[in-house]
Amino acid sequence: MLWCYIFCFISVLSSSSPLSLNKDDLVISEDSFRGPSHYVKRELSPCEDCACGERNEEPRVVGGMESDVNAFPWLGRLIYEKSFGCAASLINDKFVISAAHCMKGFMWFMFRVKFGEHDRCDKTKFAETRYVVKVIAHSFTLTDLSNDIALLMLNKRVEYTHAIRPVCLPKNDDTLYTGTTALVAGWGAMNETGQWSCTVREAELPVLSNEACRNTNYNASKIKDVMMCAGFPETAHKDACTGDSGGPLIAENEEHMYDLIGIVSWGFGCARKGYPGVYTRVTKFLDWIRDNTQEGCYCKVGAENDTESTTEPVPEAVEYVQKCNCPCFKNVVARNILLLMLVGCGERNEASRIVGGVETAVNEFPWVARLSLHNKFYCGGSLINDRFVLTAAHCVTSFMWFMIKVTLGEHDRCNTTHPPVIRYVIKMVAHNFSFSNFKDDVAVLRLHRPVIITDTVKPVCLPKNDDATYAGVNAIAAGWGTVGEGKNHSCYLQEVELPILSNEACKNANYTPTMIGDGMLCAGDPKTGMKDTCQGDSGGPLSAERNDKRHEQLGVVSWGIGCGRPGYPGVYTRVTKYLDWIRKFANTGCFCAA
């Protein structure tokens, strides 16, 4: 880029050839134009009860891959005459927001907006179409590219459906979003010289501070306060590109809704090293946006509305929602609420099982998670509520945690015909861990969206009593780690039953006593060895069955010398020592009734 739209605008306006913009090129033929005579005026109506920023979140692939169908129901496609050029976001039932450079020099009344699309090349499916009757552009100039924002008023109100809903506007105009993992979506080109995508694609990008952006290869004076940069300057493996202009950069808020934090504006090339994408910073224009869109009806932020639910709410579920302050319940279907209420945490799916270092029954431990980096499995974890996974700090310290993929509901990890539940990590909090002594080896991972509770994906319970030592209790460790030193990782989830030792007994084994801290727990038979966790099991759970038949997690697989060696039992992070810390940093998820 500069996505060269300056030159494209000039050439378009002086030519009768199809429209051509950069990061906004207009190349795809559309159906015939119906013209302004089809505009329909409609009296203002009361705002309907609706909720903004709700993604249609089914299993999806992030990072420059195709999005799920209608995953971004606010995403609109701008058509000028017969050609697609830019994207836009629905912010209320009457207005969309886009980039001002998408409007600059064009006859605004020849624009129309299409909603509810996923595959724009599929002519068998008709999108909802609205015409533009008014454009309000900010004081944008092509010289410094500041204030690249415009509002488009639609000829008639948009009716909300599963496929069409508005995005939220940020509440706080002081938020900088530095370090936030945001999402950009559009039909733009997949690389600088590539064709535009037929289907909506999305990419996860970290938001940079403006200071960091000015320290990239851009001229520092080009990055204004009204701009926001997002991307990976060093690796440049993800970015928006030609055709994505005007589209949304979104971030999830505390209510698990999505806020529009940026508008695709400009950049140099597409995914070039040293040149992250530059977006219009929406928080700088909140008052201007609201002042100029009062004719539309805004949804309530965080309103309890679930257009996807096919199950009528039952009185028990409604009562439970009213009692629970967990934010995840605001948009969960009644079926999932009842599962959380009635099933509870730590319930194993008990089929016939063989203990002692052998394969588990399928989905016997529905809380066990698998962590992958660059699509390679390397550690385990455990689901503790609908939004957080507990693992070992050494599994995430010094790693690019934002590239970690979490899979749930698996048994045979080598079987690609049964896709697991996939989540991505958007935040990692590790304790004060040090590789020098392996103390405080615990971390929590926040998932990019809540997990739906099913028979194969359920959270484990946390202990109730932080004073319990559990010495003498038989516990179970589970994971896909190696089945012996120097051997390969297991395809199938394995389990091993181990007796928990007192820390005194562990210190009397072959370990140096100072190595076993109070925040650690040992499990295994020091005399015989034979049964133990091994490489690849790190971060996984050590759980024990309570009197109510539910399982609570007592330990996190941490370290040991060898695997199953006599005199060296496995060492685990003692969960009871970190209960307050875990609940503090996982409190935005919903814990099941213990």
Side-chain angles (χ1 to χ4, degrees):
M1 294 163 276
L2 199 62
W3 292 333
C4 71
Y5 53 73
I6 297 174
F7 307 102
C8 294
F9 281 135
I10 296 172
S11 63
V12 166
L13 292 175
S14 61
S15 171
S16 59
S17 60
L19 228 56
S20 178
L21 313 177
N22 202 337
K23 207 165 193 172
D24 1 54
D25 287 354
L26 306 172
V27 295
I28 303 302
S29 176
E30 288 291 323
D31 53 348
S32 59
F33 176 60
R34 288 184 289 174
S37 60
H38 291 265
Y39 292 164
V40 178
K41 292 185 177 181
R42 174 175 165 180
E43 296 298 323
L44 290 175
S45 60
C47 297
E48 298 177 0
D49 186 17
C50 58
C52 63
E54 291 183 321
R55 278 186 60 182
N56 295 322
E57 298 195 281
E58 287 128 1
R60 64 186 182 90
V61 182
V62 301
M65 301 297 289
E66 181 179 348
S67 76
D68 193 55
V69 176
N70 300 128
F72 305 94
W74 44 82
L75 186 60
R77 194 161 62 91
L78 296 187
I79 313 297
Y80 187 80
E81 290 194 289
K82 298 180 181 180
S83 301
F84 157 51
C86 281
S89 303
L90 186 69
I91 57 172
N92 63 32
D93 65 343
K94 193 72 174 180
F95 283 86
V96 297
I97 193 167
S98 187
H101 79 256
C102 290
M103 310 286 115
K104 186 77 172 180
F106 293 98
M107 295 178 284
W108 55 263
F109 53 84
M110 298 184 71
F111 279 100
R112 64 187 189 274
V113 189
K114 291 196 170 187
F115 297 102
E117 283 187 308
H118 176 67
D119 185 349
R120 65 182 180 84
C121 303
D122 186 351
K123 302 303 180 183
T124 64
K125 296 181 180 179
F126 297 96
E128 189 75 14
T129 302
R130 293 293 185 272
Y131 296 90
V132 176
V133 296
K134 185 178 181 181
V135 170
I136 307 167
H138 212 284
S139 54
F140 169 75
T141 64
L142 293 173
T143 56
D144 65 4
L145 308 178
S146 293
N147 307 318
D148 192 10
I149 185 172
L151 299 165
L152 285 66
M153 185 176 177
L154 307 176
N155 67 308
K156 65 176 181 177
R157 297 181 187 279
V158 173
E159 294 183 5
Y160 299 145
T161 65
H162 169 81
I164 305 173
R165 290 197 298 271
V167 68
C168 300
L169 292 177
K171 294 179 181 178
N172 187 354
D173 58 8
D174 295 328
T175 305
L176 297 178
Y177 295 102
T178 301
T180 298
T181 300
L183 280 164
V184 64
W187 293 269
M190 291 172 276
N191 55 63
E192 282 190 39
T193 59
Q195 295 182 342
W196 292 16
S197 175
C198 279
T199 55
V200 177
R201 298 176 74 82
E202 61 176 291
E204 271 190 349
L205 304 169
V207 177
L208 309 176
S209 68
N210 279 21
E211 290 72 21
C213 193
R214 290 174 182 131
N215 288 326
T216 62
N217 292 350
Y218 287 124
N219 184 324
S221 62
K222 284 288 185 182
I223 307 302
K224 311 295 184 183
D225 290 341
V226 294
M227 300 175 186
M228 168 187 288
C229 298
F232 301 89
E234 295 181 358
T235 60
H237 59 287
K238 299 179 186 178
D239 194 9
C241 199
T242 308
D244 292 320
S245 277
L249 181 74
I250 58 171
E252 191 171 9
N253 60 32
E254 293 179 353
E255 287 83 17
H256 303 304
M257 308 297 188
Y258 282 83
D259 290 339
L260 179 68
I261 66 171
I263 298 169
V264 180
S265 181
W266 64 279
F268 189 79
C270 299
R272 291 190 187 181
K273 290 184 178 180
Y275 294 100
V278 185
Y279 301 76
T280 304
R281 188 180 289 274
V282 173
T283 53
K284 294 292 186 180
F285 301 92
L286 289 178
D287 290 341
W288 179 83
I289 294 169
R290 295 189 181 104
D291 289 344
N292 288 286
T293 57
Q294 294 182 8
E295 295 175 72
C297 288
Y298 281 94
C299 291
K300 299 174 183 177
V301 178
E304 291 182 9
N305 183 53
D306 183 12
T307 58
E308 293 186 77
S309 177
T310 57
T311 307
E312 289 297 320
V314 296
E316 295 89 345
V318 173
E319 181 181 358
Y320 194 63
V321 171
Q322 292 172 345
K323 289 181 179 179
C324 181
N325 291 323
C326 296
C328 69
F329 285 136
K330 293 182 178 179
N331 298 291
V332 172
V333 296
R335 173 181 174 275
N336 198 41
I337 296 172
L338 286 176
L339 279 169
L340 285 166
M341 179 173 63
L342 301 175
V343 175
C345 61
E347 291 187 335
R348 281 176 55 177
N349 295 320
E350 298 240 46
S352 300
R353 63 189 181 93
I354 303 172
V355 299
V358 295
E359 182 181 346
T360 71
V362 176
N363 299 125
E364 185 179 355
F365 301 95
W367 48 82
V368 179
R370 186 166 63 89
L371 307 187
S372 299
L373 191 65
H374 300 296
N375 289 323
K376 292 184 178 180
F377 157 56
Y378 74 103
C379 266
S382 53
L383 188 70
I384 57 172
N385 63 30
D386 72 329
R387 197 64 192 249
F388 283 85
V389 164
L390 185 67
T391 189
H394 80 259
C395 287
V396 290
T397 301
S398 301
F399 286 93
M400 292 182 286
W401 55 263
F402 50 85
M403 298 182 71
I404 295 174
K405 179 172 69 174
V406 180
T407 51
L408 297 152
E410 277 187 311
H411 176 65
D412 181 355
R413 67 179 182 86
C414 303
N415 186 350
T416 58
T417 62
H418 294 284
V421 174
I422 296 175
R423 294 293 186 269
Y424 296 88
V425 176
I426 59 173
K427 185 178 181 181
M428 181 274 288
V429 183
H431 210 287
N432 188 29
F433 169 75
S434 171
F435 281 102
S436 62
N437 55 26
F438 265 74
K439 292 181 179 179
D440 304 320
D441 191 13
V442 61
V444 290
L445 307 177
R446 187 171 190 259
L447 307 179
H448 77 280
R449 60 186 174 92
V451 171
I452 302 299
I453 307 303
T454 66
D455 289 338
T456 58
V457 180
K458 287 184 283 194
V460 69
C461 297
L462 293 178
K464 297 179 180 179
N465 185 357
D466 57 6
D467 293 326
T469 64
Y470 297 99
V473 170
N474 283 331
I476 296 175
W480 290 270
T482 57
V483 293
E485 290 185 40
K487 295 185 178 180
N488 293 329
H489 289 82
S490 172
C491 279
Y492 302 97
L493 184 65
Q494 302 277 316
E495 63 173 299
V496 61
E497 197 169 78
L498 304 165
I500 294 178
L501 308 175
S502 67
N503 277 22
E504 289 71 24
C506 192
K507 291 174 182 177
N508 289 328
N510 290 352
Y511 289 123
T512 302
T514 56
M515 298 173 67
I516 308 302
D518 292 341
M520 300 177 186
L521 174 150
C522 298
D525 188 339
K527 294 182 179 179
T528 61
M530 300 298 292
K531 296 180 181 181
D532 196 6
T533 52
C534 203
Q535 284 78 24
D537 291 321
S538 285
L542 180 75
S543 64
E545 189 175 81
R546 304 186 313 203
N547 292 333
D548 60 3
K549 302 300 182 182
R550 296 182 182 180
H551 274 243
E552 59 186 12
Q553 184 167 350
L554 310 183
V556 177
V557 180
S558 182
W559 64 279
I561 295 179
C563 301
R565 294 185 185 182
Y568 294 100
V571 185
Y572 302 76
T573 304
R574 187 180 290 272
V575 172
T576 53
K577 293 294 184 181
Y578 301 92
L579 288 177
D580 291 340
W581 183 88
I582 293 170
R583 293 191 180 106
K584 174 183 177 181
F585 289 104
N587 63 357
T588 54
C590 284
F591 285 95
C592 292

